[in-house]
Amino acid sequence: MELTVRRAENRDIPKLLELLVQVDMVHHSGRPDIFKGPATKYNAQELETIIAYDKTPVFVCADGKGEVLGHAFCIHRQFTDDSVMTDIKTLYIDDICVDENARGRHVGKALYDYVINYAKKYGCYNVTLNVWSCNPSALKFYEKMGLVPQKIGMEKIL
């Protein structure tokens, strides 16, 4: 199956909103105490701004018919002149999702590989992301892609 990864465009916003609901529902299923579900973390207007801004590139993976099957929201980060952190450039993956109907078709790998190549092209030192412990399939995927823990967030519910 032919897969193409490209920068998201405004015409992709309806599908991006669908995918954002899918992400939220995975999190809501695992942590209904934190995630409302069904919801999106961005609205259409916010997505237009995010898509247009070079510091927040959004990539989509489409099939041969042009149907969007997944997305990767990224953010360029760099701490310059910080008293503790070095000035490395990081590409942070804020959100990655493969449509639940397209899983197992290597869409996630295509998106991830594209993001890695993009980060290298822009001189990034690393690519980082956060993964919720209530999403073991995502954790397994990221480990398969070669990611290792950088830091661990912990909580105690009171």
XYZ file of all heavy atoms in Angstrom, residues 111-156:
377
model
N 4.928 7.808 9.664
C 4.918 9.116 10.316
C 6.173 9.312 11.164
O 6.850 10.342 11.077
C 3.681 9.276 11.204
C 2.390 9.629 10.510
C 1.203 9.357 11.427
C 2.391 11.079 10.055
N 6.485 8.323 11.975
C 7.636 8.427 12.867
C 8.929 8.597 12.068
O 9.754 9.464 12.376
C 7.710 7.209 13.788
C 8.891 7.274 14.713
C 8.866 8.087 15.841
C 10.047 6.563 14.432
C 9.967 8.181 16.675
C 11.150 6.661 15.262
C 11.102 7.462 16.367
O 12.192 7.564 17.190
N 9.127 7.779 11.037
C 10.328 7.884 10.211
C 10.432 9.263 9.562
O 11.517 9.844 9.484
C 10.355 6.799 9.133
C 10.606 5.404 9.690
O 11.019 5.282 10.867
O 10.373 4.431 8.944
N 9.306 9.792 9.107
C 9.301 11.115 8.497
C 9.709 12.183 9.512
O 10.510 13.071 9.212
C 7.911 11.416 7.922
C 7.884 12.646 7.054
C 8.099 12.546 5.676
C 7.661 13.906 7.586
C 8.079 13.673 4.867
C 7.654 15.042 6.796
C 7.852 14.917 5.434
O 7.846 16.043 4.640
N 9.160 12.092 10.713
C 9.489 13.052 11.771
C 10.980 12.985 12.103
O 11.638 14.022 12.267
C 8.617 12.815 13.025
C 9.145 13.576 14.232
C 7.167 13.196 12.740
N 11.531 11.786 12.195
C 12.960 11.631 12.492
C 13.799 12.294 11.402
O 14.744 13.047 11.692
C 13.331 10.141 12.648
C 12.671 9.544 13.899
C 14.845 9.942 12.667
C 13.118 10.158 15.207
N 13.472 12.038 10.144
C 14.223 12.645 9.038
C 14.065 14.161 9.027
O 15.029 14.887 8.754
C 13.814 12.034 7.702
C 14.320 10.612 7.564
O 15.385 10.280 8.063
N 13.555 9.768 6.910
N 12.882 14.645 9.314
C 12.631 16.084 9.398
C 13.507 16.698 10.496
O 14.148 17.733 10.302
C 11.144 16.326 9.671
C 10.791 17.765 9.960
C 10.436 18.629 8.930
C 10.810 18.252 11.262
C 10.115 19.963 9.203
C 10.485 19.578 11.538
C 10.142 20.419 10.503
O 9.828 21.731 10.768
N 13.538 16.056 11.661
C 14.333 16.569 12.787
C 15.825 16.606 12.438
O 16.518 17.574 12.769
C 14.083 15.716 14.034
N 16.300 15.584 11.775
C 17.704 15.567 11.351
C 17.983 16.717 10.385
O 19.009 17.404 10.509
C 18.041 14.232 10.678
C 18.144 13.066 11.641
C 18.418 11.781 10.887
C 18.477 10.584 11.813
N 18.669 9.317 11.068
N 17.081 16.918 9.440
C 17.243 17.989 8.444
C 17.348 19.357 9.116
O 18.076 20.234 8.652
C 16.058 17.966 7.481
C 16.064 19.056 6.444
C 14.837 18.969 5.548
C 14.745 20.170 4.633
N 13.518 20.158 3.839
N 16.637 19.559 10.209
C 16.623 20.846 10.902
C 17.634 20.917 12.050
O 17.578 21.833 12.870
C 15.209 21.186 11.373
C 14.375 21.668 10.205
C 13.649 20.779 9.432
C 14.385 23.019 9.830
C 12.930 21.212 8.327
C 13.673 23.453 8.726
C 12.947 22.546 7.976
O 12.254 22.968 6.876
N 18.539 19.957 12.107
C 19.624 20.028 13.072
C 19.242 19.747 14.507
O 19.925 20.209 15.432
N 18.181 19.000 14.702
C 17.762 18.669 16.066
C 18.705 17.636 16.682
O 19.192 16.734 16.000
C 16.332 18.139 16.076
S 15.114 19.378 15.611
N 18.926 17.767 17.956
C 19.741 16.824 18.719
C 18.945 15.550 19.018
O 19.483 14.458 19.018
C 20.196 17.486 20.023
C 20.870 16.557 20.993
C 22.186 16.159 20.801
C 20.185 16.076 22.111
C 22.810 15.304 21.683
C 20.804 15.222 23.007
C 22.118 14.840 22.784
O 22.732 13.985 23.669
N 17.641 15.729 19.307
C 16.816 14.587 19.669
C 15.351 14.840 19.315
O 14.963 15.953 18.970
C 16.963 14.237 21.153
C 16.549 15.351 22.092
O 16.197 16.457 21.679
N 16.585 15.068 23.390
N 14.593 13.771 19.394
C 13.134 13.816 19.263
C 12.588 13.266 20.567
O 13.057 12.225 21.046
C 12.644 12.977 18.063
C 11.127 12.846 18.066
C 13.125 13.588 16.754
N 11.635 13.982 21.162
C 11.067 13.544 22.430
C 9.551 13.491 22.335
O 8.947 14.080 21.426
C 11.464 14.497 23.587
O 10.929 15.793 23.330
C 12.964 14.562 23.759
N 8.943 12.793 23.257
C 7.487 12.728 23.364
C 7.129 12.237 24.747
O 7.985 11.742 25.477
C 6.881 11.826 22.285
C 7.353 10.363 22.197
C 6.679 9.468 23.213
C 7.099 9.832 20.801
N 5.883 12.386 25.099
C 5.346 11.822 26.334
C 4.360 10.727 25.956
O 3.669 10.832 24.948
C 4.624 12.881 27.164
C 5.567 13.929 27.698
O 6.692 13.634 28.071
N 5.115 15.169 27.726
N 4.290 9.697 26.769
C 3.314 8.630 26.552
C 2.668 8.306 27.897
O 3.345 8.236 28.927
C 3.961 7.376 25.902
C 5.068 6.803 26.756
C 2.926 6.319 25.574
N 1.361 8.176 27.880
C 0.616 7.842 29.100
C 0.768 6.355 29.396
O 0.655 5.516 28.500
C -0.865 8.205 28.929
C -1.074 9.684 28.983
C -0.984 10.579 27.949
C -1.377 10.449 30.138
N -1.216 11.849 28.396
C -1.465 11.801 29.743
C -1.595 10.140 31.478
C -1.754 12.831 30.635
C -1.879 11.159 32.364
C -1.963 12.483 31.936
N 0.975 6.013 30.635
C 1.137 4.610 31.022
C -0.136 3.805 30.797
O -0.090 2.580 30.724
C 1.606 4.490 32.468
O 0.664 5.052 33.340
N -1.270 4.485 30.671
C -2.531 3.788 30.406
C -2.685 3.443 28.917
O -3.735 2.955 28.503
C -3.725 4.624 30.881
S -3.941 6.187 30.006
N -1.647 3.705 28.117
C -1.680 3.409 26.687
C -0.515 2.473 26.342
O 0.450 2.870 25.691
C -1.599 4.717 25.890
C -1.882 4.530 24.411
O -2.014 3.415 23.928
N -1.958 5.634 23.703
N -0.602 1.201 26.787
C 0.525 0.287 26.589
C 0.847 -0.005 25.122
O 1.999 -0.265 24.791
C 0.092 -0.985 27.336
C -1.387 -0.887 27.467
C -1.709 0.569 27.495
N -0.134 0.067 24.236
C 0.169 -0.190 22.825
C 1.040 0.924 22.246
O 1.943 0.668 21.441
C -1.109 -0.380 21.999
O -1.901 0.780 22.019
N 0.803 2.160 22.668
C 1.650 3.270 22.220
C 3.061 3.097 22.785
O 4.052 3.273 22.058
C 1.062 4.607 22.632
N 3.159 2.765 24.056
C 4.456 2.556 24.676
C 5.244 1.473 23.929
O 6.430 1.642 23.627
C 4.284 2.192 26.149
C 5.552 1.987 26.957
C 6.416 3.234 26.960
C 5.201 1.577 28.379
N 4.575 0.379 23.609
C 5.222 -0.716 22.880
C 5.688 -0.245 21.496
O 6.788 -0.576 21.057
C 4.249 -1.895 22.754
C 4.830 -3.110 22.092
C 3.828 -4.246 22.062
C 4.400 -5.427 21.307
N 3.435 -6.539 21.227
N 4.850 0.531 20.808
C 5.219 1.052 19.496
C 6.464 1.927 19.592
O 7.412 1.771 18.816
C 4.057 1.846 18.878
C 4.448 2.613 17.646
C 4.614 1.961 16.439
C 4.660 3.984 17.704
C 4.995 2.660 15.298
C 5.035 4.693 16.573
C 5.202 4.034 15.361
N 6.488 2.855 20.548
C 7.635 3.762 20.684
C 8.907 2.995 21.035
O 9.985 3.306 20.525
C 7.350 4.845 21.713
C 6.209 5.750 21.319
C 5.207 6.077 22.225
C 6.109 6.274 20.031
C 4.157 6.911 21.866
C 5.060 7.102 19.657
C 4.088 7.408 20.578
O 3.051 8.218 20.220
N 8.791 1.994 21.881
C 9.956 1.172 22.200
C 10.452 0.444 20.960
O 11.656 0.357 20.712
C 9.627 0.187 23.320
C 9.480 0.860 24.670
C 8.968 -0.068 25.762
O 8.349 -1.119 25.435
O 9.154 0.270 26.945
N 9.524 -0.039 20.146
C 9.888 -0.719 18.895
C 10.601 0.236 17.937
O 11.477 -0.163 17.176
C 8.629 -1.291 18.234
C 8.895 -2.137 17.013
C 7.613 -2.721 16.471
C 7.882 -3.507 15.204
N 6.629 -4.014 14.612
N 10.253 1.510 17.997
C 10.880 2.523 17.148
C 12.250 2.944 17.680
O 12.956 3.714 17.046
C 9.990 3.766 17.014
C 8.672 3.529 16.290
S 8.889 3.035 14.556
C 8.505 1.278 14.657
N 12.612 2.448 18.874
C 13.928 2.723 19.427
C 13.972 3.823 20.476
O 15.061 4.197 20.925
N 12.826 4.347 20.879
C 12.823 5.363 21.925
C 13.066 4.713 23.282
O 12.660 3.574 23.519
C 11.491 6.119 21.948
C 11.368 7.197 20.882
C 10.679 6.654 19.661
C 10.613 8.378 21.414
N 13.725 5.463 24.157
C 13.994 5.003 25.515
C 13.518 6.074 26.483
O 13.433 7.248 26.115
C 15.499 4.706 25.734
C 15.963 3.551 24.851
C 16.335 5.947 25.484
N 13.197 5.701 27.724
C 12.742 6.712 28.684
C 13.791 7.800 28.900
O 14.974 7.514 29.040
C 12.511 5.919 29.972
C 12.267 4.506 29.505
C 13.140 4.343 28.292
N 13.326 9.045 28.922
C 14.181 10.177 29.230
C 13.902 10.658 30.654
O 14.807 11.013 31.398
C 13.920 11.309 28.239
C 14.777 12.544 28.472
C 14.349 13.721 27.629
O 13.162 14.045 27.587
N 15.304 14.351 26.976
N 12.649 10.695 31.006
C 12.223 11.063 32.349
C 10.891 10.376 32.615
O 10.208 9.957 31.674
C 12.086 12.585 32.508
C 11.167 13.231 31.504
C 11.226 14.733 31.611
C 10.489 15.360 30.464
N 10.597 16.810 30.463
N 10.520 10.272 33.848
C 9.283 9.580 34.206
C 8.445 10.514 35.067
O 8.942 11.058 36.062
C 9.567 8.272 34.969
C 10.366 7.315 34.056
C 8.276 7.621 35.450
C 10.865 6.084 34.754
N 7.180 10.724 34.693
C 6.251 11.503 35.496
C 5.541 10.582 36.468
O 5.155 9.479 36.100
N 5.392 11.013 37.683
C 4.750 10.173 38.695
C 3.660 10.975 39.387
O 3.674 12.199 39.355
C 5.798 9.680 39.682
C 6.898 8.863 39.006
S 8.194 8.338 40.134
C 7.357 6.990 40.959
N 2.723 10.266 40.020
C 1.643 10.937 40.724
C 1.209 10.124 41.929
O 1.470 8.918 42.009
C 0.432 11.150 39.802
C -0.347 9.882 39.510
C -1.616 10.093 38.705
O -2.155 11.208 38.694
O -2.046 9.134 38.060
N 0.526 10.772 42.836
C -0.199 10.135 43.924
C -1.560 10.796 43.957
O -1.672 12.010 44.166
C 0.498 10.335 45.268
C -0.302 9.721 46.409
C 0.470 9.733 47.684
C -0.301 9.152 48.839
N -0.662 7.756 48.703
